[in-house]
Amino acid sequence: MNPSPATKLAPIDESTQSAGRAALWTMIGILVAFKIATTAVILIVAPGARDVVIAFFIAFHWPLLLAAAVFGFAPLLFWLRLVKVRAKRAKLQAAEWNVA
């Protein structure tokens, strides 16, 4: 059976894709802000339970902390590699033009 033209999916244009990306980052930001604010309120209300609250925060959020570390270090590693490659490129260009 051939699908009717009404059931074909339309291609996603750039504005729709960027709006979806913005919505995703907004939701992630709200989630992170809520978790940090809730932990801060608990620490303010019960300052004696600081070690327990921080231990529970880490215990319940270690996958998110791990993902944040991975996604945070990826751009740093990319930048370091970029600096290394550019230095090598400059060295090769200098060697090419400075033939003795």
Side-chain angles (χ1 to χ4, degrees):
M1 287 184 4
N2 291 334
S4 66
T7 60
K8 287 187 178 180
L9 296 175
I12 298 174
D13 61 344
E14 185 65 32
S15 63
T16 304
Q17 196 172 21
S18 76
R21 207 175 288 133
L24 171 69
W25 284 111
T26 301
M27 288 301 295
I28 290 173
I30 290 170
L31 181 68
V32 169
F34 178 76
K35 288 179 177 289
I36 291 173
T38 303
T39 303
V41 167
I42 292 170
L43 288 172
I44 290 169
V45 171
R50 180 180 59 103
D51 295 336
V52 175
V53 171
I54 292 173
F56 273 118
F57 185 83
I58 292 171
F60 288 131
H61 299 96
W62 70 267
L64 297 174
L65 296 172
L66 182 66
V70 168
F71 288 122
F73 282 118
L76 176 67
L77 293 174
F78 176 78
W79 180 77
L80 289 172
R81 174 152 169 71
L82 185 64
V83 168
K84 181 181 172 183
V85 168
R86 285 183 178 170
K88 184 177 179 181
R89 179 176 178 252
K91 183 179 173 184
L92 288 172
Q93 283 180 336
E96 179 181 359
W97 288 100
N98 296 328
V99 177

